[in-house]
Amino acid sequence: MRVTGFLAALMVVRTLSVQAKKHTKLYSFEPDEALDIWNDGLPTLYTFNETHLANLGGSWWTSSFITGTEREQSLVISHILDISVCAYFRASILGINTPGYKQFLVRGSSMMHNSMRLDLQVGNNPIQSVSEDDISQMRAYSINPNFTFDLIFNATFPILPNAGAGAFIFGAGTSSEWALPRCKTEGTLTGSDGKKVTIDPDNSFTWYDRQYGTGTPPTGNWTWFEFHVPGLESKLSIWAIDNPDTNQTSRLANIHGADDNSQDLLAEFYPKDQRFGSLDISSVLADQEIVGTSALETAYEGFVAVISKIHAKHVQGYGLVAIVYGSWD
């Protein structure tokens, strides 16, 4: 069952101090095994696979939570942005239980190799579909002196449309955005320590995110949280968007639970009584910033540990926080 619409409920998000220590425990990075990624009986604003087409522009983004066959765990980010003022590919790799971090950014025009399905590339860094339906199986890979990866991920989790309908105000316009939160992933990568890693597909997944629209990047704070709470089988997509040019402040949270149960909540980012729950967040490493030459290119995209109290139950999870201070300069 899927529940949509903003509810009269609040979530609290509190950011704790940064940690920088070796983590010996393994996180649960098991992928989902859903056969259907969308209920065709539900109304949609757009056809999901058709939004991949490059002429819509926007963002194609992945965060891959990887366990290697020797139990090493990593977070790999890959991202193509193609908007009117710039196009780039940026990526990072974080060693979680073997600490280390590498990142890079490549600027240039995005190249579309196939007008019928997702097949984009900036430099030697493509994100592409490898299935005829443009969504069942995708690939992100990079050949770079800093590090390499070759990830194939399958659509094995129901689609999560942000803000319930998959559209919300972003900057001075409307943004359409949807995600596949827990896609089964296989492939190889060169770890943050330079060692080649073979991915264990039974303990690795990718969050794939597609965003496009008429909205421009906000000129103020633009923060997004991706959380996974294994104890409750919950996946959360939480936004905080501030745009001083238009005097808009948005706070929204999407919670996808077990049995395809989904909620859209208002979110608060300071201590307050709440009906849903609270999340205490700490980064595992201070330096997880992908650095460009402008604010729009630069982002903190870091792995975080989460201690949460949801529906009066104390559970632990993990995820990612992405922080950008938007600017056209």
Side-chain angles (χ1 to χ4, degrees), residues 17 79 94 123 137 178 182 214 277-278 298:
S17 59
H79 181 205
L94 169 74
Q137 189 173 73
W178 57 271
R182 214 169 171 96
T214 61
S278 63
T298 301

PDB file of all heavy atoms in Angstrom, residues 17 79 94 123 137 178 182 214 277-278 298:
ATOM      1  N   SER A  17      28.494  15.798  15.862  1.00  0.00           N
ATOM      2  CA  SER A  17      29.877  16.102  15.512  1.00  0.00           C
ATOM      3  C   SER A  17      30.449  15.048  14.586  1.00  0.00           C
ATOM      4  O   SER A  17      30.032  13.896  14.580  1.00  0.00           O
ATOM      5  CB  SER A  17      30.735  16.180  16.781  1.00  0.00           C
ATOM      6  OG  SER A  17      30.671  14.952  17.476  1.00  0.00           O
ATOM      7  N   HIS A  79      28.203  11.231 -10.701  1.00  0.00           N
ATOM      8  CA  HIS A  79      27.176  12.242 -10.953  1.00  0.00           C
ATOM      9  C   HIS A  79      27.478  12.984 -12.250  1.00  0.00           C
ATOM     10  O   HIS A  79      28.575  13.514 -12.436  1.00  0.00           O
ATOM     11  CB  HIS A  79      27.166  13.247  -9.783  1.00  0.00           C
ATOM     12  CG  HIS A  79      26.138  14.332  -9.917  1.00  0.00           C
ATOM     13  ND1 HIS A  79      26.258  15.556  -9.303  1.00  0.00           N
ATOM     14  CD2 HIS A  79      24.964  14.385 -10.609  1.00  0.00           C
ATOM     15  CE1 HIS A  79      25.220  16.313  -9.591  1.00  0.00           C
ATOM     16  NE2 HIS A  79      24.412  15.614 -10.390  1.00  0.00           N
ATOM     17  N   LEU A  94      34.961   6.465  -0.929  1.00  0.00           N
ATOM     18  CA  LEU A  94      35.295   6.489   0.492  1.00  0.00           C
ATOM     19  C   LEU A  94      35.456   5.061   0.988  1.00  0.00           C
ATOM     20  O   LEU A  94      34.586   4.221   0.768  1.00  0.00           O
ATOM     21  CB  LEU A  94      34.180   7.178   1.289  1.00  0.00           C
ATOM     22  CG  LEU A  94      34.263   7.040   2.819  1.00  0.00           C
ATOM     23  CD1 LEU A  94      35.377   7.925   3.367  1.00  0.00           C
ATOM     24  CD2 LEU A  94      32.933   7.365   3.478  1.00  0.00           C
ATOM     25  N   GLY A 123      33.930  13.170 -20.600  1.00  0.00           N
ATOM     26  CA  GLY A 123      35.254  12.565 -20.555  1.00  0.00           C
ATOM     27  C   GLY A 123      35.137  11.056 -20.676  1.00  0.00           C
ATOM     28  O   GLY A 123      34.366  10.527 -21.486  1.00  0.00           O
ATOM     29  N   GLN A 137      18.246  -2.165 -16.098  1.00  0.00           N
ATOM     30  CA  GLN A 137      19.659  -2.337 -15.766  1.00  0.00           C
ATOM     31  C   GLN A 137      20.445  -1.141 -16.283  1.00  0.00           C
ATOM     32  O   GLN A 137      20.297  -0.729 -17.436  1.00  0.00           O
ATOM     33  CB  GLN A 137      20.219  -3.624 -16.373  1.00  0.00           C
ATOM     34  CG  GLN A 137      21.616  -3.972 -15.889  1.00  0.00           C
ATOM     35  CD  GLN A 137      22.078  -5.330 -16.385  1.00  0.00           C
ATOM     36  OE1 GLN A 137      22.401  -5.493 -17.559  1.00  0.00           O
ATOM     37  NE2 GLN A 137      22.100  -6.314 -15.490  1.00  0.00           N
ATOM     38  N   TRP A 178      12.891  11.483  -9.128  1.00  0.00           N
ATOM     39  CA  TRP A 178      12.524  10.169  -8.633  1.00  0.00           C
ATOM     40  C   TRP A 178      13.796   9.367  -8.399  1.00  0.00           C
ATOM     41  O   TRP A 178      14.861   9.702  -8.906  1.00  0.00           O
ATOM     42  CB  TRP A 178      11.599   9.447  -9.613  1.00  0.00           C
ATOM     43  CG  TRP A 178      12.148   9.277 -11.000  1.00  0.00           C
ATOM     44  CD1 TRP A 178      12.032  10.151 -12.040  1.00  0.00           C
ATOM     45  CD2 TRP A 178      12.906   8.161 -11.494  1.00  0.00           C
ATOM     46  NE1 TRP A 178      12.665   9.655 -13.163  1.00  0.00           N
ATOM     47  CE2 TRP A 178      13.210   8.422 -12.849  1.00  0.00           C
ATOM     48  CE3 TRP A 178      13.344   6.969 -10.935  1.00  0.00           C
ATOM     49  CZ2 TRP A 178      13.947   7.536 -13.646  1.00  0.00           C
ATOM     50  CZ3 TRP A 178      14.075   6.080 -11.723  1.00  0.00           C
ATOM     51  CH2 TRP A 178      14.351   6.368 -13.067  1.00  0.00           C
ATOM     52  N   ARG A 182      17.484   1.105  -3.834  1.00  0.00           N
ATOM     53  CA  ARG A 182      18.288  -0.018  -3.334  1.00  0.00           C
ATOM     54  C   ARG A 182      18.469  -1.073  -4.434  1.00  0.00           C
ATOM     55  O   ARG A 182      17.976  -2.201  -4.345  1.00  0.00           O
ATOM     56  CB  ARG A 182      17.622  -0.609  -2.097  1.00  0.00           C
ATOM     57  CG  ARG A 182      18.594  -1.149  -1.055  1.00  0.00           C
ATOM     58  CD  ARG A 182      17.887  -1.468   0.251  1.00  0.00           C
ATOM     59  NE  ARG A 182      18.754  -2.169   1.163  1.00  0.00           N
ATOM     60  CZ  ARG A 182      19.464  -1.579   2.125  1.00  0.00           C
ATOM     61  NH1 ARG A 182      19.415  -0.267   2.264  1.00  0.00           N
ATOM     62  NH2 ARG A 182      20.225  -2.294   2.925  1.00  0.00           N
ATOM     63  N   THR A 214      12.430  22.809 -14.725  1.00  0.00           N
ATOM     64  CA  THR A 214      12.635  24.232 -15.007  1.00  0.00           C
ATOM     65  C   THR A 214      13.296  24.956 -13.845  1.00  0.00           C
ATOM     66  O   THR A 214      13.678  26.117 -13.976  1.00  0.00           O
ATOM     67  CB  THR A 214      11.298  24.917 -15.311  1.00  0.00           C
ATOM     68  OG1 THR A 214      10.432  24.800 -14.166  1.00  0.00           O
ATOM     69  CG2 THR A 214      10.622  24.263 -16.507  1.00  0.00           C
ATOM     70  N   GLY A 277       9.333  10.700  14.360  1.00  0.00           N
ATOM     71  CA  GLY A 277      10.552  10.259  15.014  1.00  0.00           C
ATOM     72  C   GLY A 277      11.664  11.266  14.862  1.00  0.00           C
ATOM     73  O   GLY A 277      11.453  12.409  14.456  1.00  0.00           O
ATOM     74  N   SER A 278      12.880  10.850  15.233  1.00  0.00           N
ATOM     75  CA  SER A 278      14.036  11.733  15.162  1.00  0.00           C
ATOM     76  C   SER A 278      15.241  10.959  14.668  1.00  0.00           C
ATOM     77  O   SER A 278      15.328   9.728  14.809  1.00  0.00           O
ATOM     78  CB  SER A 278      14.335  12.347  16.537  1.00  0.00           C
ATOM     79  OG  SER A 278      14.676  11.327  17.454  1.00  0.00           O
ATOM     80  N   THR A 298      30.947  22.267  -6.437  1.00  0.00           N
ATOM     81  CA  THR A 298      31.478  21.719  -5.198  1.00  0.00           C
ATOM     82  C   THR A 298      30.350  21.196  -4.313  1.00  0.00           C
ATOM     83  O   THR A 298      29.325  21.852  -4.147  1.00  0.00           O
ATOM     84  CB  THR A 298      32.282  22.781  -4.440  1.00  0.00           C
ATOM     85  OG1 THR A 298      33.357  23.228  -5.288  1.00  0.00           O
ATOM     86  CG2 THR A 298      32.862  22.236  -3.150  1.00  0.00           C
TER      87      THR A 298
END
